[in-house]
Amino acid sequence: MRHFNVKGFVLSAVTGCTALIFCAQPASAAVGSGGGHYPPGEEVFQLTAQQTQGAFVDVDGSSGPSLGDEFVVSGNLLRGTTAVGTYSEICTLTRTAPADEFDLQCTADLSLAQGQLTVQGRFTVTSAGPGDIDLAITGGTGRYRTAHGTVHGVTTSSTETRLTVHLIR
């Protein structure tokens, strides 16, 4: 296995996952009516997850990715340039493979004015990056207490991810 700067690379990759962010339905959100592209009651909207802090926890001291390594990140959730909440996320490395490939299992908490959302899932990271990421909305509190759906994340820079939220309540 060729080793690379796993700390810097993965923190950037995890930013793609850090997204998992939701907030109150924006005026421009598409809401399904049953006859269109989205299921009834589904809110679809975009946000930006902006990483402000990140750390790598190397459990065995090796120079490359190893099972159990963790990545902890947090940041702001934005709609345009307006902050609408914060998030925190912990990802654990669960599989390594040749050619600098590994899997991360991530859990995130999204704190918003009207409640919290939880998101979870697994994705593969290669030397080319994490690619697009799809994670499940697993629950919430307050306005989001019956939440489910998915979040699709696309990394746009080393600290930002564009999120498309498919929220069903």
Side-chain angles (χ1 to χ4, degrees), residues 47-131:
L47 296 170
T48 299
Q50 183 180 66
Q51 180 181 328
T52 58
Q53 296 182 17
F56 171 69
V57 180
D58 187 355
V59 298
D60 69 0
S62 68
S63 63
S66 57
L67 292 178
D69 286 353
E70 290 190 330
F71 308 94
V72 182
V73 294
S74 61
N76 298 315
L77 303 174
L78 307 173
R79 178 170 292 119
T81 59
T82 304
V84 295
T86 60
Y87 71 91
S88 59
E89 180 176 25
I90 298 173
C91 295
T92 303
L93 196 141
T94 59
R95 181 188 69 89
T96 61
D100 296 331
E101 179 179 302
F102 53 90
D103 288 350
L104 293 174
Q105 172 68 36
C106 298
T107 302
D109 177 83
L110 311 166
S111 181
L112 304 161
Q114 297 181 342
Q116 295 178 356
L117 284 162
T118 56
V119 180
Q120 180 176 337
R122 181 181 66 98
F123 61 96
T124 299
V125 177
T126 68
S127 59

Side-chain angles (χ1 to χ4, degrees), residues 12-21 45-50 123 129-135 151-166:
S12 294
V14 169
T15 298
C17 177
T18 56
L20 324 174
I21 312 352
F45 54 93
Q46 290 191 340
L47 296 170
T48 299
Q50 183 180 66
F123 61 96
D132 291 1
I133 299 168
D134 291 299
L135 301 171
V151 175
H152 179 78
V154 177
T155 301
T156 57
S157 77
S158 64
T159 60
E160 291 188 350
T161 301
R162 183 181 68 243
L163 304 173
T164 302
V165 179
H166 295 262

